[in-house]
Amino acid sequence: MKAFKPHLGGLPSYPYQGVEAPIKLDQNESPYDLPAEIKARVVERLAALSYNRYPRLHAEDVRERLSAWLGWPVEGLVLSPGSNLLIQALAQAASRVLDVAPSFPHYAFSARIAATPYQAVPLEEGFALPLKGLLRAMDERPGVLFLANPHAPTGRLFAGEEVACLAERAGETGWLLVIDEAYHQFSGSNHMELARSNPQVALLRTFSKAFSLGGIRAGYLMASPEVARVLQNFVPPFGLPAHTAQVLLAVLEAPAYVEGVVRTLVAERERLYQTLQAHPTWRVYPSQTNFLLIRTPDAAWAYQGLLRWGILVRRQDHYPGLEGCIRVSVGTPEENDRFLQAAFALAEVPHA
Ligand SMILES: *Cc1c(COP(=O)(O)O)cnc(C)c1O
């Protein structure tokens, strides 16, 4: 391993283990596939595509369409195969990375592989934003502050005034505040106006969640033209595959289905939340996303118990402050019924 930079030795792999189960509620995917009419249009487009030709250099065709749909300048858009790649690019470009804890693990992981100095400020009581701690950390040498809002893995939406406070400080100090809006459709929130009025604020978006395109791999950054120009250099030339581009073009012609997905999942999320209030031993936290964080007496026991019912969830108990916690994606109404049935049945089983 002498060929590689010393900091890469002993690096842990990304913390995910694929497990098969009939009811998959572990990755916050949409339980609904892309509508069949749009899929059919994609298939037509793919049949007409010349597979021997490279796609556009920087996905210009999709970025133009996205720009019109969002009302965001095309010079400020960077598209990539998954927003995870943009997180890596930001961590690589950053002088330092600031985060909260617990957080989306890819921020810390990306800083680590890039050997970028990393600091995380713990969330406060009740998963509140540690505003003072973050502002204090921002007094030092500027870098990139990642903030998922709505937040993962707690599902909480931080208040607009608090985020505006961080944005203002970023504007004064030269920090770049990157707001990861992976779940924004499920909260009805968005920070577009904040980003429009402040070039030190950038937004990360993904097609993996509300757009129901986890398998297609596409995400984008909305930023100032200056920030976008730097980040674009980290996405390899011709980096957005031609088939991904065709799916996105078809979806952006008929994006109305997303509203239906969001409406159903938000209603189901609230039904799960309300029903679980009656659970004798589990405590469910309010969520503005398509998943619920649940504190159980024993996460390993809850995970295994649910798996015996054919339901796969994600353990979160390795995070400080999330002892006993599991994370459950909102599924179809039938999947959620089954989950509720299992959750209440497990409460009847004596804990080994
Ligand atoms: C799911 C998720 C993403 C999406 O990553 P992709 O690479 O676009 O699939 C980004 N940020 C957070 C916080 C997420 O939960």
PDB file of all heavy atoms in Angstrom, residues 28 82-85 87 104 107 148 152 180 182-183 205-209 217-219, ligand 1:
ATOM      1  N   ASN A  28     -34.245   4.560   2.879  1.00  0.00           N
ATOM      2  CA  ASN A  28     -35.035   5.770   2.595  1.00  0.00           C
ATOM      3  C   ASN A  28     -35.351   5.935   1.112  1.00  0.00           C
ATOM      4  O   ASN A  28     -35.514   7.055   0.621  1.00  0.00           O
ATOM      5  CB  ASN A  28     -34.331   7.021   3.126  1.00  0.00           C
ATOM      6  CG  ASN A  28     -34.075   6.937   4.612  1.00  0.00           C
ATOM      7  OD1 ASN A  28     -34.698   6.117   5.292  1.00  0.00           O
ATOM      8  ND2 ASN A  28     -33.180   7.758   5.110  1.00  0.00           N
ATOM      9  N   GLY A  82     -25.236  10.969  -8.692  1.00  0.00           N
ATOM     10  CA  GLY A  82     -25.469  10.888  -7.254  1.00  0.00           C
ATOM     11  C   GLY A  82     -24.906  12.114  -6.555  1.00  0.00           C
ATOM     12  O   GLY A  82     -23.827  12.602  -6.908  1.00  0.00           O
ATOM     13  N   SER A  83     -25.656  12.635  -5.578  1.00  0.00           N
ATOM     14  CA  SER A  83     -25.129  13.791  -4.849  1.00  0.00           C
ATOM     15  C   SER A  83     -23.971  13.383  -3.943  1.00  0.00           C
ATOM     16  O   SER A  83     -23.184  14.217  -3.524  1.00  0.00           O
ATOM     17  CB  SER A  83     -26.230  14.508  -4.068  1.00  0.00           C
ATOM     18  OG  SER A  83     -26.885  13.640  -3.193  1.00  0.00           O
ATOM     19  N   ASN A  84     -23.843  12.084  -3.658  1.00  0.00           N
ATOM     20  CA  ASN A  84     -22.692  11.620  -2.869  1.00  0.00           C
ATOM     21  C   ASN A  84     -21.369  12.027  -3.513  1.00  0.00           C
ATOM     22  O   ASN A  84     -20.409  12.343  -2.819  1.00  0.00           O
ATOM     23  CB  ASN A  84     -22.738  10.093  -2.719  1.00  0.00           C
ATOM     24  CG  ASN A  84     -23.670   9.661  -1.601  1.00  0.00           C
ATOM     25  OD1 ASN A  84     -24.050  10.470  -0.757  1.00  0.00           O
ATOM     26  ND2 ASN A  84     -24.041   8.411  -1.595  1.00  0.00           N
ATOM     27  N   LEU A  85     -21.341  12.007  -4.833  1.00  0.00           N
ATOM     28  CA  LEU A  85     -20.109  12.389  -5.525  1.00  0.00           C
ATOM     29  C   LEU A  85     -19.820  13.884  -5.351  1.00  0.00           C
ATOM     30  O   LEU A  85     -18.661  14.295  -5.226  1.00  0.00           O
ATOM     31  CB  LEU A  85     -20.236  12.041  -7.009  1.00  0.00           C
ATOM     32  CG  LEU A  85     -18.937  11.988  -7.790  1.00  0.00           C
ATOM     33  CD1 LEU A  85     -18.913  10.776  -8.687  1.00  0.00           C
ATOM     34  CD2 LEU A  85     -18.740  13.253  -8.614  1.00  0.00           C
ATOM     35  N   ILE A  87     -20.700  15.548  -2.686  1.00  0.00           N
ATOM     36  CA  ILE A  87     -20.230  15.666  -1.299  1.00  0.00           C
ATOM     37  C   ILE A  87     -18.728  15.373  -1.258  1.00  0.00           C
ATOM     38  O   ILE A  87     -17.959  16.097  -0.623  1.00  0.00           O
ATOM     39  CB  ILE A  87     -21.016  14.701  -0.382  1.00  0.00           C
ATOM     40  CG1 ILE A  87     -22.481  15.159  -0.284  1.00  0.00           C
ATOM     41  CG2 ILE A  87     -20.382  14.606   1.002  1.00  0.00           C
ATOM     42  CD1 ILE A  87     -23.427  14.150   0.361  1.00  0.00           C
ATOM     43  N   PHE A 104     -25.248  12.704   8.431  1.00  0.00           N
ATOM     44  CA  PHE A 104     -25.147  11.809   7.274  1.00  0.00           C
ATOM     45  C   PHE A 104     -23.677  11.359   7.183  1.00  0.00           C
ATOM     46  O   PHE A 104     -22.788  12.212   7.070  1.00  0.00           O
ATOM     47  CB  PHE A 104     -25.580  12.581   6.028  1.00  0.00           C
ATOM     48  CG  PHE A 104     -25.650  11.759   4.771  1.00  0.00           C
ATOM     49  CD1 PHE A 104     -26.339  10.563   4.732  1.00  0.00           C
ATOM     50  CD2 PHE A 104     -25.030  12.205   3.613  1.00  0.00           C
ATOM     51  CE1 PHE A 104     -26.417   9.819   3.562  1.00  0.00           C
ATOM     52  CE2 PHE A 104     -25.102  11.472   2.436  1.00  0.00           C
ATOM     53  CZ  PHE A 104     -25.790  10.275   2.415  1.00  0.00           C
ATOM     54  N   TYR A 107     -20.455  12.719   4.851  1.00  0.00           N
ATOM     55  CA  TYR A 107     -19.669  13.959   5.016  1.00  0.00           C
ATOM     56  C   TYR A 107     -18.331  13.638   5.681  1.00  0.00           C
ATOM     57  O   TYR A 107     -17.272  14.040   5.195  1.00  0.00           O
ATOM     58  CB  TYR A 107     -20.424  14.994   5.859  1.00  0.00           C
ATOM     59  CG  TYR A 107     -21.833  15.318   5.419  1.00  0.00           C
ATOM     60  CD1 TYR A 107     -22.809  15.636   6.363  1.00  0.00           C
ATOM     61  CD2 TYR A 107     -22.200  15.310   4.078  1.00  0.00           C
ATOM     62  CE1 TYR A 107     -24.109  15.944   5.992  1.00  0.00           C
ATOM     63  CE2 TYR A 107     -23.499  15.607   3.702  1.00  0.00           C
ATOM     64  CZ  TYR A 107     -24.449  15.919   4.663  1.00  0.00           C
ATOM     65  OH  TYR A 107     -25.734  16.212   4.300  1.00  0.00           O
ATOM     66  N   ALA A 148     -27.496  18.951   6.655  1.00  0.00           N
ATOM     67  CA  ALA A 148     -28.673  18.336   6.042  1.00  0.00           C
ATOM     68  C   ALA A 148     -29.901  18.935   6.723  1.00  0.00           C
ATOM     69  O   ALA A 148     -30.030  18.873   7.931  1.00  0.00           O
ATOM     70  CB  ALA A 148     -28.637  16.822   6.225  1.00  0.00           C
ATOM     71  N   ALA A 152     -30.664  14.357   8.629  1.00  0.00           N
ATOM     72  CA  ALA A 152     -30.541  12.903   8.711  1.00  0.00           C
ATOM     73  C   ALA A 152     -29.421  12.623   9.720  1.00  0.00           C
ATOM     74  O   ALA A 152     -28.408  13.318   9.679  1.00  0.00           O
ATOM     75  CB  ALA A 152     -30.194  12.324   7.346  1.00  0.00           C
ATOM     76  N   ASP A 180     -27.883  20.378   2.519  1.00  0.00           N
ATOM     77  CA  ASP A 180     -28.255  19.154   1.816  1.00  0.00           C
ATOM     78  C   ASP A 180     -29.773  18.994   1.931  1.00  0.00           C
ATOM     79  O   ASP A 180     -30.294  18.696   3.006  1.00  0.00           O
ATOM     80  CB  ASP A 180     -27.503  17.981   2.447  1.00  0.00           C
ATOM     81  CG  ASP A 180     -27.700  16.677   1.689  1.00  0.00           C
ATOM     82  OD1 ASP A 180     -28.678  16.568   0.934  1.00  0.00           O
ATOM     83  OD2 ASP A 180     -26.871  15.759   1.880  1.00  0.00           O
ATOM     84  N   ALA A 182     -31.766  16.735   0.578  1.00  0.00           N
ATOM     85  CA  ALA A 182     -32.170  15.425   0.048  1.00  0.00           C
ATOM     86  C   ALA A 182     -33.642  15.118   0.330  1.00  0.00           C
ATOM     87  O   ALA A 182     -34.302  14.430  -0.443  1.00  0.00           O
ATOM     88  CB  ALA A 182     -31.282  14.329   0.635  1.00  0.00           C
ATOM     89  N   TYR A 183     -34.164  15.641   1.451  1.00  0.00           N
ATOM     90  CA  TYR A 183     -35.530  15.297   1.878  1.00  0.00           C
ATOM     91  C   TYR A 183     -36.485  16.486   1.829  1.00  0.00           C
ATOM     92  O   TYR A 183     -37.549  16.431   2.445  1.00  0.00           O
ATOM     93  CB  TYR A 183     -35.477  14.737   3.304  1.00  0.00           C
ATOM     94  CG  TYR A 183     -34.625  13.494   3.411  1.00  0.00           C
ATOM     95  CD1 TYR A 183     -33.325  13.561   3.925  1.00  0.00           C
ATOM     96  CD2 TYR A 183     -35.100  12.263   2.985  1.00  0.00           C
ATOM     97  CE1 TYR A 183     -32.530  12.420   4.002  1.00  0.00           C
ATOM     98  CE2 TYR A 183     -34.315  11.125   3.061  1.00  0.00           C
ATOM     99  CZ  TYR A 183     -33.039  11.215   3.569  1.00  0.00           C
ATOM    100  OH  TYR A 183     -32.256  10.089   3.644  1.00  0.00           O
ATOM    101  N   ARG A 205     -29.075  18.664  -3.962  1.00  0.00           N
ATOM    102  CA  ARG A 205     -30.351  17.981  -4.192  1.00  0.00           C
ATOM    103  C   ARG A 205     -30.079  16.606  -4.802  1.00  0.00           C
ATOM    104  O   ARG A 205     -29.049  16.395  -5.423  1.00  0.00           O
ATOM    105  CB  ARG A 205     -31.214  18.796  -5.175  1.00  0.00           C
ATOM    106  CG  ARG A 205     -31.565  20.209  -4.664  1.00  0.00           C
ATOM    107  CD  ARG A 205     -32.954  20.208  -4.117  1.00  0.00           C
ATOM    108  NE  ARG A 205     -33.366  21.512  -3.620  1.00  0.00           N
ATOM    109  CZ  ARG A 205     -34.189  22.355  -4.264  1.00  0.00           C
ATOM    110  NH1 ARG A 205     -34.654  22.033  -5.469  1.00  0.00           N
ATOM    111  NH2 ARG A 205     -34.557  23.495  -3.701  1.00  0.00           N
ATOM    112  N   THR A 206     -31.038  15.717  -4.656  1.00  0.00           N
ATOM    113  CA  THR A 206     -30.876  14.377  -5.226  1.00  0.00           C
ATOM    114  C   THR A 206     -32.154  13.929  -5.930  1.00  0.00           C
ATOM    115  O   THR A 206     -33.258  14.372  -5.560  1.00  0.00           O
ATOM    116  CB  THR A 206     -30.509  13.357  -4.121  1.00  0.00           C
ATOM    117  OG1 THR A 206     -30.334  12.073  -4.722  1.00  0.00           O
ATOM    118  CG2 THR A 206     -31.596  13.256  -3.050  1.00  0.00           C
ATOM    119  N   PHE A 207     -32.011  13.068  -6.910  1.00  0.00           N
ATOM    120  CA  PHE A 207     -33.169  12.423  -7.537  1.00  0.00           C
ATOM    121  C   PHE A 207     -33.480  11.081  -6.873  1.00  0.00           C
ATOM    122  O   PHE A 207     -34.385  10.372  -7.298  1.00  0.00           O
ATOM    123  CB  PHE A 207     -32.900  12.210  -9.037  1.00  0.00           C
ATOM    124  CG  PHE A 207     -32.996  13.477  -9.845  1.00  0.00           C
ATOM    125  CD1 PHE A 207     -31.860  14.210 -10.153  1.00  0.00           C
ATOM    126  CD2 PHE A 207     -34.225  13.951 -10.281  1.00  0.00           C
ATOM    127  CE1 PHE A 207     -31.943  15.392 -10.886  1.00  0.00           C
ATOM    128  CE2 PHE A 207     -34.324  15.122 -11.018  1.00  0.00           C
ATOM    129  CZ  PHE A 207     -33.178  15.847 -11.314  1.00  0.00           C
ATOM    130  N   SER A 208     -32.710  10.742  -5.829  1.00  0.00           N
ATOM    131  CA  SER A 208     -32.807   9.389  -5.255  1.00  0.00           C
ATOM    132  C   SER A 208     -34.011   9.174  -4.352  1.00  0.00           C
ATOM    133  O   SER A 208     -34.379   8.034  -4.114  1.00  0.00           O
ATOM    134  CB  SER A 208     -31.539   9.076  -4.448  1.00  0.00           C
ATOM    135  OG  SER A 208     -30.411   9.115  -5.268  1.00  0.00           O
ATOM    136  N   LYS A 209     -34.611  10.230  -3.808  1.00  0.00           N
ATOM    137  CA  LYS A 209     -35.633  10.040  -2.791  1.00  0.00           C
ATOM    138  C   LYS A 209     -37.038  10.339  -3.349  1.00  0.00           C
ATOM    139  O   LYS A 209     -37.679   9.455  -3.851  1.00  0.00           O
ATOM    140  CB  LYS A 209     -35.299  10.892  -1.566  1.00  0.00           C
ATOM    141  CG  LYS A 209     -33.845  10.679  -1.054  1.00  0.00           C
ATOM    142  CD  LYS A 209     -33.695   9.416  -0.241  1.00  0.00           C
ATOM    143  CE  LYS A 209     -32.251   8.929  -0.101  1.00  0.00           C
ATOM    144  NZ  LYS A 209     -31.323   9.816   0.589  1.00  0.00           N
ATOM    145  N   ARG A 217     -28.958   7.125 -10.158  1.00  0.00           N
ATOM    146  CA  ARG A 217     -27.784   7.862  -9.700  1.00  0.00           C
ATOM    147  C   ARG A 217     -27.691   9.249 -10.326  1.00  0.00           C
ATOM    148  O   ARG A 217     -27.038   9.462 -11.351  1.00  0.00           O
ATOM    149  CB  ARG A 217     -26.469   7.080  -9.975  1.00  0.00           C
ATOM    150  CG  ARG A 217     -26.425   5.668  -9.453  1.00  0.00           C
ATOM    151  CD  ARG A 217     -26.812   5.562  -7.994  1.00  0.00           C
ATOM    152  NE  ARG A 217     -25.925   6.298  -7.109  1.00  0.00           N
ATOM    153  CZ  ARG A 217     -26.364   7.166  -6.181  1.00  0.00           C
ATOM    154  NH1 ARG A 217     -27.655   7.404  -6.020  1.00  0.00           N
ATOM    155  NH2 ARG A 217     -25.498   7.789  -5.420  1.00  0.00           N
ATOM    156  N   ALA A 218     -28.359  10.201  -9.685  1.00  0.00           N
ATOM    157  CA  ALA A 218     -28.264  11.587 -10.128  1.00  0.00           C
ATOM    158  C   ALA A 218     -28.545  12.539  -8.971  1.00  0.00           C
ATOM    159  O   ALA A 218     -29.456  12.323  -8.167  1.00  0.00           O
ATOM    160  CB  ALA A 218     -29.244  11.867 -11.271  1.00  0.00           C
ATOM    161  N   GLY A 219     -27.727  13.567  -8.901  1.00  0.00           N
ATOM    162  CA  GLY A 219     -27.915  14.631  -7.926  1.00  0.00           C
ATOM    163  C   GLY A 219     -27.317  15.902  -8.482  1.00  0.00           C
ATOM    164  O   GLY A 219     -26.639  15.871  -9.518  1.00  0.00           O
TER     165      GLY A 219
HETATM  166  C1  LIG B   1     -30.073   9.909   0.540  1.00  0.00           C
HETATM  167  C2  LIG B   1     -29.242  11.092   0.834  1.00  0.00           C
HETATM  168  C3  LIG B   1     -28.488  11.692  -0.181  1.00  0.00           C
HETATM  169  C4  LIG B   1     -28.560  11.169  -1.602  1.00  0.00           C
HETATM  170  O1  LIG B   1     -27.355  10.730  -2.111  1.00  0.00           O
HETATM  171  P1  LIG B   1     -27.326  10.279  -3.658  1.00  0.00           P
HETATM  172  O2  LIG B   1     -25.879   9.987  -3.899  1.00  0.00           O
HETATM  173  O3  LIG B   1     -27.816  11.450  -4.463  1.00  0.00           O
HETATM  174  O4  LIG B   1     -28.211   9.092  -3.806  1.00  0.00           O
HETATM  175  C5  LIG B   1     -27.757  12.820   0.123  1.00  0.00           C
HETATM  176  N1  LIG B   1     -27.764  13.339   1.372  1.00  0.00           N
HETATM  177  C6  LIG B   1     -28.470  12.778   2.371  1.00  0.00           C
HETATM  178  C7  LIG B   1     -28.469  13.401   3.716  1.00  0.00           C
HETATM  179  C8  LIG B   1     -29.223  11.642   2.131  1.00  0.00           C
HETATM  180  O5  LIG B   1     -29.909  11.062   3.120  1.00  0.00           O
END
